Amino acid sequence: SGKTCLLEALHLYAKNASPRTLYELILERGENWEIQRQQENDVESIENIENPLRHLFYAYQFPKVGESGIEIGSEQNTQEQLTLQLYTYKTIETDDTRRFIRFDASQTKIFDSENPTELVIEIKIANKIKARVRVNQIETQKRRFLPYRLSSNEAKLNVQVVSTKPINLGKVAILWDNINVQPGLRKVVFEGLQLIDENIQEVVLVGRGKSMIPLLIYEDGKKQIPLKSLGDGMTHLFHIILALVNAKDGFLLIDEFENGLHYTVQPKIWELIFKLAKELNVQVFATTHSKDCVKGFHEIWEEQEDEGTLYRLDNVPNEDIKIISYQPELVGYALESDGEIR
């Protein structure tokens, strides 16, 4: 019904659809498989491979030149809109200049068979071009398909993502370094893990870079247990809290909130998220298929009605996605009567 797609749209919007972010999403989805296969088989030619960025658009295909592509933002305020559209470009050279300009087929006077046209994705913010991505040139360098640290000037908002896959250790190390000099935030992280195991006294990361391993400290340092050995739920909770304290004044996007988390601890986790989101000025977007997750959210939400919202996305055949907004009272009634609200 488009829950993950919604999070991806928010991610793109927060990062101003930086070309790096576009490739990150392709990597996360595994939609660069054609290029990866060519590289693994040491095939040099990629002439027959379509650019994997096509998967970001409707029906997994690039739109026609000039037609609507991707539009994200306020319908009323064009200054807040982000758009991605496909256009034809051409390199025009003279004796002293070289220009790469949008090409209209009606401009036959500048047509030159030796310099063919190219397809380009224009990335616009407030109707001003901020970046161009050449579709005909497929970037095969390995660095293009690895996670990036995005410089702050490329982003609209601070955004952190907890997807259905665990955050890689390299990114965990970066997030940990960001709070390592802030004892209060480090304390928040291990206090969050105490929701599952109250005997945890501290969390430390040992090693360097991508080899860092989170350890849970017990019994005044006499007992250390790798986080991973306590199961997926503990790891998922660690990633949620670590990402949240790094999302100050921005977005936190959580896909399938309930992954690995026992239903009995979910209300406590929601309570912590409500508290930290308000303190750190973070807007949290979370998706779920779980009624237990909705129930846990509702337990906290009904006491802080102004601090949250709940929506259902319905995939209606041959129509747009239908959005249904719920009020706490209706959700409470549905849960009590075993009604279906997912």
Side-chain angles (χ1 to χ4, degrees), residues 2-226:
K3 292 187 296 298
T4 299
C5 185
L6 172 62
L7 296 186
E8 290 176 344
L10 291 165
H11 189 184
L12 281 182
Y13 183 75
K15 289 195 173 180
N16 282 332
S18 151
R20 296 181 182 185
T21 306
L22 301 183
Y23 281 103
E24 282 179 354
L25 287 177
I26 291 299
L27 179 66
E28 178 72 17
R29 293 175 170 190
E31 290 170 341
N32 63 315
W33 65 272
E34 294 171 286
I35 293 176
Q36 193 172 31
R37 183 170 176 270
Q38 291 280 51
Q39 292 173 336
E40 290 173 352
N41 294 332
D42 295 324
V43 178
E44 293 184 4
S45 174
I46 58 172
E47 293 178 359
N48 297 322
I49 296 180
E50 292 187 71
N51 193 304
L53 292 179
R54 70 187 189 276
H55 294 289
L56 296 175
F57 293 84
Y58 181 74
Y60 303 98
Q61 293 296 330
F62 288 118
K64 293 182 180 180
V65 172
E67 289 188 353
S68 295
I70 295 173
E71 299 178 4
I72 308 172
S74 169
E75 291 183 343
Q76 290 75 35
N77 186 355
T78 58
Q79 295 303 308
E80 297 179 2
Q81 287 182 356
L82 169 71
T83 62
L84 285 77
Q85 288 180 279
L86 204 67
Y87 289 98
T88 304
Y89 270 69
K90 193 175 183 67
T91 301
I92 306 297
E93 295 190 38
T94 62
D95 292 339
D96 55 356
T97 63
R98 189 171 187 271
R99 295 183 300 154
F100 190 59
I101 62 173
R102 191 190 292 178
F103 175 72
D104 185 342
S106 64
Q107 297 172 292
T108 54
K109 63 181 181 180
I110 63 171
F111 180 76
D112 179 1
S113 59
E114 293 183 0
N115 294 295
T117 57
E118 296 183 45
L119 293 178
V120 170
I121 300 173
E122 284 186 357
I123 301 172
K124 296 180 183 177
I125 302 168
N127 221 23
K128 295 181 180 179
I129 298 175
K130 296 298 182 180
R132 298 180 180 90
V133 179
R134 285 172 149 161
V135 171
N136 301 75
Q137 297 182 4
I138 299 177
E139 178 61 79
T140 59
Q141 296 179 32
K142 189 176 181 181
R143 63 182 176 82
R144 266 298 204 191
F145 290 97
L146 291 175
Y148 290 87
R149 291 189 69 177
L150 190 66
S151 62
S152 59
N153 62 354
E154 290 181 286
K156 184 191 304 290
L157 292 165
N158 179 17
V159 59
Q160 300 297 334
V161 181
V162 181
S163 70
T164 55
K165 301 175 184 177
I167 300 175
N168 69 73
L169 289 176
K171 181 65 179 294
V172 168
I174 293 170
L175 296 179
W176 188 260
D177 282 346
N178 291 342
I179 66 167
N180 206 22
V181 294
Q182 302 182 63
L185 293 182
R186 288 208 321 273
K187 184 179 179 182
V188 165
V189 173
F190 75 76
E191 285 180 344
L193 297 180
Q194 287 176 330
L195 297 176
I196 293 181
D197 186 344
E198 61 183 14
N199 295 312
I200 296 172
Q201 295 180 343
E202 178 63 281
V203 181
V204 298
L205 266 66
V206 297
R208 292 184 177 181
K210 297 179 181 179
S211 299
M212 274 191 169
I213 298 175
L215 291 180
L216 305 180
I217 307 301
Y218 296 80
E219 300 174 6
D220 297 325
K222 296 177 182 177
K223 183 179 178 183
Q224 304 92 27
I225 299 178

Side-chain angles (χ1 to χ4, degrees), residues 290-309:
S290 166
K291 184 176 287 188
D292 288 328
C293 180
V294 174
K295 185 177 181 180
F297 173 82
H298 179 258
E299 284 186 31
I300 310 304
W301 181 35
E302 63 179 348
E303 298 175 358
Q304 306 178 57
E305 185 174 343
D306 293 338
E307 301 297 330
T309 55

